[in-house]
């Protein structure tokens, strides 16, 4: 074979061979053929115009209208907070900061937010959860450590008072938590137990003589671990412990009433000294989130007043008698954890914000960066390479899809808080579990892909991917391990599936199982399985039906497998044998929920041009997901080979179409440079700002 020149293309003499002419033409094959300028000759392949400029065929995107639709009524609040921090450079988090300095800065940032910017987070969480989560996203743009510390103070410590306490607790603690006079923490996790909250070992034993509870750490495994705000700043902790009533069990044994929450002062309000009987140690330097002071707590016969029991779901009278409106330990436990879903909602919400930052940096850099190109012509933008579009454009579409899904979650959460409806509460519990798990896992993977897509410059700390990855990584673990949460989704789907065949009612989120189970479990139509027209593939009904068909097939098959294995392995063994199947089922269902909300958001958009571009992005999200799991659809003949090929081609084409408006799509997130902060992700003069960072 002829030797290639250093440029990668053959010499003029080598172009005379048919093989080299074809190779040269293929090397120019960077863009969709239908979008190229007309070729000069019958067999010519012409390159597209140089990178970074809008090409003919792209949609007309009004970024301002798209921003208004995305951010809605929270636009003004978020912009006010952005301006507040922009005008306070001493509150900006540097790239390199020792752990101790980062923690103190984080606390100063939160104090400034509350006492200078005038935000009342706990009041917002109680009265307007939607606005509260928007504030959390804005502060997370300054520093993810700040968002997490903010969430510990208000979603967890404050949320426990609101959701698990009663009037007397709100009257005593609410205002002082809100104005930060009472910094606190949320002491649930122990060294030996995290996800299995029912197995916590810390005890709270009632002493009827003194009318107090005695909080004890019975062994090292029961040390409260990873407790945010506790190592330095917390003055109180909501401690989850087993409520023990002496002499009230069988035969005069102590009665274990299950897990309850107690308010435990841990530091003196005046001197800030650690109180007697309490030992606090620092969990030390972490992979990320080093602005959050995580600690470990041991309690040795710490006495608290009986009134410090958060008694919404269970109470102890002066004489030691226990009362509850819920008849069993399991029901009380479920009600307690059900009221703590706000933490999962906030993580799903914040994770979408982090995904937007990462995608914005990667897309802007891909538009800016130029590498290679046709001989004797300008280099082209790396986003003009099909491989780069394949990495980033479906991710951009997923950021939009996740945005609308999280808004649906917050709307449902707000409805739950207003109505206290049990069915809505159950729905929100499972929905928050699924979306928190799915979105945080997707964001974690996406940050690494964004780093890789930015090459060597993505490895610079100043360009943020390392910090974003490390700070966000734990989102997959706290407030419920993602694998455990997906099992809760799968378990609820199986419960709903069983009720379907018993004639029971189904919750709103799962109602497609009720409406169309028979359709989804029937054999695929051999005619529609072969339809490959673009109008059909871009029809929301086809897309949503495909997602729901997959979920229903997975649900039906795993139910049959569980029933089979239970005969020999028992319930636990059967569940473990089918665990990967169950996790796939849960993820499939969550994707169907996300797509349904995206389709609804497209339909509800009042501006025609904005609706058109959202439809394009939604189509890419849906078809890319179908293509990524095309084997499942092929295995059951839901999609014939010709249709699978058409879907693949259309995903490539839609990725290219989204690329044409990628700048406008990321600009519509409306993230100020002070939030992006990565020089390569700036809206203008990125290289100039980058060189300044290293001293030029």
């Amino acid at each position: 074979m002829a030797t290639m020149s250093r440029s990668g293309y053959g010499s003029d003499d080598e172009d005379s061979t048919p093989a080299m002419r074809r190779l040269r033409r293929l090397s120019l094959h960077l863009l969709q053929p239908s979008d190229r300028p007309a070729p000069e000759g019958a067999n010519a392949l012409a390159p597209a115009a140089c990178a970074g400029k809008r090409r003919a065929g792209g949609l007309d995107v009004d970024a301002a209208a798209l921003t208004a639709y995305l951010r809605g009524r929270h636009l003004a609040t978020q912009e006010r907070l952005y301006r507040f921090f922009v005008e306070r450079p001493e509150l900006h988090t540097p790239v390199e900061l020792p752990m101790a300095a980062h923690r103190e800065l984080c606390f100063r940032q939160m104090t400034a937010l509350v006492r200078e910017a005038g935000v009342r987070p706990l009041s917002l969480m109680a009265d307007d959860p939607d606005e509260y989560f928007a504030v959390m996203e804005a502060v997370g743009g300054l520093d993810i450590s700040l968002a997490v510390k903010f969430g510990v103070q208000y979603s967890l410590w404050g949320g426990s008072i609101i959701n698990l306490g009663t009037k007397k607790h709100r009257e005593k603690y609410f205002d002082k938590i809100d104005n930060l006079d009472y910094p606190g923490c949320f002491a649930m996790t122990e060294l030996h137990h995290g996800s299995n909250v029912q197995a916590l070992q810390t005890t709270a034993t009632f002493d009827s003589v003194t009318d107090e509870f005695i909080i004890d750490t019975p062994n090292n495994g029961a040390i409260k671990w990873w407790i945010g705000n506790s190592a330095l700043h917390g003055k109180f902790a909501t401690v989850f412990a087993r409520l023990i009533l002496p002499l009230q069990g069988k035969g005069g044994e102590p009665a274990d009433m299950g897990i309850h929450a107690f308010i435990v002062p841990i530091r003196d309000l005046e001197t800030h000294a650690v109180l007697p009987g309490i030992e606090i140690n620092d969990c030390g330097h972490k992979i990320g989130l080093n602005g959050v002071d995580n600690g470990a707590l041991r309690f040795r016969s710490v006495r608290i007043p009986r009134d410090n029991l958060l008694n919404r779901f269970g109470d102890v009278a002066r004489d030691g008698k226990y009362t509850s409106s819920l008849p069993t330990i399991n029901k009380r436990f479920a009600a307690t954890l059900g009221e703590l879903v706000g933490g999962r909602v906030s993580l799903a919400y914040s994770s979408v914000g982090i995904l937007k930052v990462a995608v914005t940096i990667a897309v802007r850099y891909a538009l800016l960066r130029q590498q290679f190109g046709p001989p004797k012509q300008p280099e082209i933008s790396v986003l003009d390479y099909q491989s780069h579009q394949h990495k980033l454009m479906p991710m951009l579409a997923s950021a939009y899809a996740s945005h609308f899904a999280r808004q649906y979650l917050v709307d449902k959460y707000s409805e739950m808080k207003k109505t206290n409806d049990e069915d809505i509460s159950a729905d929100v519990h499972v929905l928050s579990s699924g979306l928190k798990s799915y979105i945080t896992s997707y964001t974690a993977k996406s940050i690494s892909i964004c780093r890789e897509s930015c090459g060597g410059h993505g490895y610079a700390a100043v360009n943020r991917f390392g910090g974003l990855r490390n700070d966000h990584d734990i989102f997959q673990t706290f407030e419920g391990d993602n694998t455990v949460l997906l099992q809760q989704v799968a378990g609820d789907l199986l419960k709903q599936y069983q009720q379907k065949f018993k004639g029971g009612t189904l919750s709103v989120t799962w109602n497609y199982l009720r409406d169309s189970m028979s359709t989804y479990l029937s054999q695929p139509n051999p005619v529609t399985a072969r339809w490959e027209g673009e109008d059909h593939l871009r029809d929301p009904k086809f897309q949503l039906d495909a997602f729901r068909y997959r979920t229903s097939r997975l649900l039906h098959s795993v139910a049959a497998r569980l029933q089979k294995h239970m005969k020999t392995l028992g319930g636990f063994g059967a569940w473990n044998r089918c665990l990967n199947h169950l996790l796939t089922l849960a993820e499939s269902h969550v994707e169907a929920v996300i797509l349904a909300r995206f389709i609804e958001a497209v339909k509800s958009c009042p501006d025609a041009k904005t609706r058109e571009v959202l439809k394009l992005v939604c189509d890419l999200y849906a078809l890319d997901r179908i293509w990524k799991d095309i084997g499942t659809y092929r295995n059951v003949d839901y999609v014939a080979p010709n249709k699978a090929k058409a879907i693949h081609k259309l995903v490539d084409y839609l990725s290219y179409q989204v690329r044409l408006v990628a700048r406008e799509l990321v600009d519509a997130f409306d993230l100020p440079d002070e939030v992006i902060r990565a020089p390569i992700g700036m809206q203008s003069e990125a290289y100039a700002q980058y060189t300044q960072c290293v001293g030029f």
Side-chain angles (χ1 to χ4, degrees):
M1 185 176 178
T3 303
M4 296 292 286
S5 67
R6 288 185 64 190
S7 67
Y9 300 96
S11 65
D12 291 339
D13 290 339
E14 291 166 342
D15 277 352
S16 62
T17 68
M20 293 309 301
R21 283 198 300 270
R22 176 162 177 76
L23 183 59
R24 184 173 184 277
R25 288 172 184 171
L26 289 173
S27 73
L28 302 177
H29 189 63
L30 295 170
L31 298 169
Q32 296 288 338
S34 60
D35 291 280
R36 295 187 188 140
E40 294 178 359
N43 297 317
L45 281 174
C50 187
K53 298 177 182 178
R54 285 285 296 276
R55 296 181 176 85
L59 295 174
D60 183 12
V61 182
D62 184 341
L66 185 52
T67 296
Y69 188 59
L70 289 174
R71 292 175 62 186
R73 67 185 179 90
H74 308 301
L75 182 61
T77 296
Q78 290 188 327
E79 287 187 344
R80 181 175 72 84
L81 293 178
Y82 290 148
R83 285 196 304 272
F84 173 78
F85 283 114
V86 166
E87 294 167 0
R88 298 287 302 276
E90 74 277 10
L91 296 177
H92 296 182
T93 305
V95 174
E96 297 182 50
L97 193 63
M99 182 179 73
H102 194 180
R103 289 174 168 184
E104 290 307 317
L105 174 60
C106 200
F107 191 69
R108 290 203 310 274
Q109 290 168 335
M110 187 162 67
T111 303
L113 179 75
V114 172
R115 297 180 179 173
E116 297 176 42
V119 177
R120 285 292 177 265
L122 197 60
S123 298
L124 287 177
M125 197 181 79
D127 302 330
D128 190 354
D130 200 356
E131 183 85 346
Y132 170 80
F133 293 123
V135 169
M136 176 173 277
E137 180 181 37
V139 301
L142 183 71
D143 187 335
I144 300 174
S145 283
L146 173 59
V148 171
K149 193 171 183 71
F150 181 94
V152 170
Q153 172 69 14
Y154 296 108
S155 296
L156 298 181
W157 159 231
S160 67
I161 301 299
I162 295 173
N163 299 316
L164 302 181
T166 50
K167 182 180 179 182
K168 63 183 178 184
H169 301 112
R170 288 190 286 272
E171 289 177 347
K172 183 174 181 179
Y173 294 99
F174 188 100
D175 289 341
K176 292 185 181 294
I177 295 173
D178 209 7
N179 66 19
L180 213 51
D181 283 347
Y182 283 177
C185 42
F186 186 83
M188 178 180 280
T189 299
E190 296 177 355
L191 178 61
H192 283 184
H193 291 94
S195 297
N196 189 4
V197 177
Q198 276 189 298
L200 295 179
Q201 299 176 70
T202 301
T203 59
T205 304
F206 182 63
D207 183 346
S208 59
V209 176
T210 62
D211 197 26
E212 294 173 317
F213 287 103
I214 306 169
I215 311 296
D216 267 307
T217 302
N219 54 64
N220 284 349
I223 295 172
K224 295 296 182 181
W225 210 274
W226 292 125
I227 309 306
N229 279 3
S230 69
L232 290 177
H233 300 126
K235 295 181 183 294
F236 295 87
T238 294
V239 176
F240 287 80
R242 316 193 73 80
L243 196 164
I244 306 298
L245 298 177
L247 305 176
Q248 295 194 24
K250 291 183 179 180
E253 292 293 314
D256 183 343
M257 308 308 295
I259 303 299
H260 289 65
F262 302 83
I263 300 171
V264 181
I266 61 175
R267 286 186 174 89
D268 188 276
L269 292 176
E270 300 299 327
T271 67
H272 203 63
V274 176
L275 293 174
I278 298 173
E279 181 182 354
I280 303 177
N281 286 296
D282 199 316
C283 288
H285 198 274
K286 306 182 292 293
I287 291 174
L289 295 179
N290 282 299
V292 182
D293 52 312
N294 294 89
L297 292 81
R298 185 201 299 272
F299 303 97
R300 291 187 174 91
S301 299
V302 176
R303 290 179 172 269
I304 60 172
R306 179 169 54 89
D307 277 351
N308 283 26
L309 166 65
L310 293 172
N311 61 337
R312 178 178 173 188
F313 297 115
D315 201 3
V316 176
R318 178 66 183 85
D319 61 2
K321 182 180 179 182
Y322 184 86
T323 57
S324 174
S325 59
L326 301 171
T328 66
I329 287 178
N330 286 340
K331 286 186 179 296
R332 291 193 294 272
F333 177 75
T336 297
L337 290 196
E339 284 299 321
L340 301 176
V341 297
R344 291 199 293 270
V345 175
S346 67
L347 286 180
Y349 199 101
S350 297
S351 185
V352 176
I354 294 166
L355 177 61
K356 289 177 183 178
V357 171
V359 171
T360 297
I361 296 169
V363 167
R364 285 179 177 167
Y365 180 70
L367 289 165
L368 170 73
R369 184 72 165 179
Q370 297 180 356
Q371 293 288 293
F372 307 109
K376 300 178 183 179
Q377 294 196 37
E379 291 185 301
I380 71 165
S381 162
V382 295
L383 198 53
D384 283 330
Y385 287 92
Q386 189 181 64
S387 58
H388 220 70
Q389 293 169 14
H390 180 71
K391 285 181 183 178
L392 296 183
M393 296 303 94
M395 189 188 301
L396 178 55
S398 293
Y400 271 81
S402 299
H403 172 91
F404 292 115
R406 79 171 185 184
Q407 189 56 54
Y408 174 67
L409 173 60
V410 170
D411 289 344
K412 295 291 288 184
Y413 177 78
S414 299
E415 184 181 2
M416 179 192 81
K417 302 307 292 182
K418 290 177 182 176
T419 64
N420 291 315
D421 183 276
E422 289 186 5
D423 291 335
I424 295 175
S425 296
D427 200 13
V428 170
H429 171 71
V430 180
L431 184 63
S432 64
S433 296
L435 287 175
K436 182 269 181 184
S437 176
Y438 184 88
I439 291 172
T440 58
S441 293
Y442 183 82
T443 296
K445 296 181 182 77
S446 297
I447 293 170
S448 291
I449 293 171
C450 287
R451 203 293 308 157
E452 178 190 349
S453 74
C454 293
H457 294 317
Y459 199 62
V462 73
N463 287 322
R464 306 256 350 252
F465 292 118
L468 290 173
R469 180 192 61 211
N470 292 347
D471 284 347
H472 176 273
D473 194 61
I474 193 63
F475 281 40
Q476 300 173 94
T477 302
F478 59 23
E479 292 299 313
D481 174 84
N482 282 358
T483 301
V484 174
L485 293 181
L486 284 177
Q487 290 180 70
Q488 293 182 14
V489 176
D492 194 73
L493 282 165
L494 286 164
K495 177 183 174 183
Q496 302 287 345
Y497 178 79
Q498 185 181 39
Q499 288 197 2
K500 158 67 183 174
F501 293 105
K502 289 183 177 179
T505 60
L506 280 80
S507 58
V508 175
T509 305
W510 314 156
N511 62 12
Y512 68 85
L513 295 175
R514 177 194 62 207
D515 295 340
S516 305
M517 179 67 78
S518 58
T519 300
Y520 293 132
L521 294 182
S522 63
Q523 290 299 312
N525 185 321
V527 176
T528 57
R530 299 186 61 82
W531 286 355
E532 59 181 72
E534 183 176 335
D535 287 346
H536 166 67
L537 297 180
R538 297 184 69 174
D539 184 344
K541 185 179 187 308
F542 159 70
Q543 297 164 1
L544 197 53
D545 278 350
F547 277 49
R548 290 174 170 176
Y549 178 85
R550 176 183 60 171
T551 302
S552 296
R553 294 292 300 194
L554 287 165
L555 178 55
H556 183 68
S557 58
V558 80
R561 286 187 66 205
L562 285 168
Q563 188 174 31
K564 171 188 171 183
H565 290 304
M566 281 182 69
K567 296 175 183 177
T568 55
L569 301 175
F572 182 85
W575 186 271
N576 194 35
R577 176 67 64 87
C578 300
L579 186 52
N580 289 335
H581 194 159
L582 291 160
L583 297 176
T584 302
L585 163 66
E587 289 179 340
S588 175
H589 171 70
V590 173
E591 286 187 346
V593 172
I594 292 172
L595 178 60
R597 302 330 304 170
F598 202 169
I599 290 171
E600 182 60 33
V602 173
K603 290 180 181 177
S604 302
C605 182
D607 179 72
K609 290 181 179 179
T610 302
R611 188 165 59 249
E612 185 181 9
V613 73
L614 286 175
K615 176 67 167 66
L616 167 66
V617 177
C618 185
D619 287 342
L620 176 57
Y621 171 79
L623 293 171
D624 178 70
R625 286 295 183 279
I626 292 172
W627 173 248
K628 280 184 167 60
D629 199 19
I630 198 67
T632 296
Y633 295 103
R634 287 288 302 115
N635 286 343
V636 295
D637 293 325
Y638 191 81
V639 170
N642 67 304
K643 190 169 188 173
K645 185 177 181 180
I647 290 170
H648 189 195
K649 286 184 175 181
L650 188 52
V651 168
D652 285 345
Y653 175 73
L654 293 175
S655 292
Y656 167 69
Q657 290 294 317
V658 171
R659 177 263 173 269
L660 295 180
V661 292
R663 187 187 306 278
E664 290 82 355
L665 288 170
V666 296
D667 286 352
F669 292 149
D670 199 30
L671 299 172
D673 286 348
E674 291 76 18
V675 169
I676 297 298
R677 295 202 298 284
I680 63 171
M682 294 294 102
Q683 296 188 58
S684 62
E685 300 182 349
Y687 279 135
Q689 295 193 50
Y690 192 19
T691 54
Q692 288 174 13
C693 282
V694 299
F696 288 102

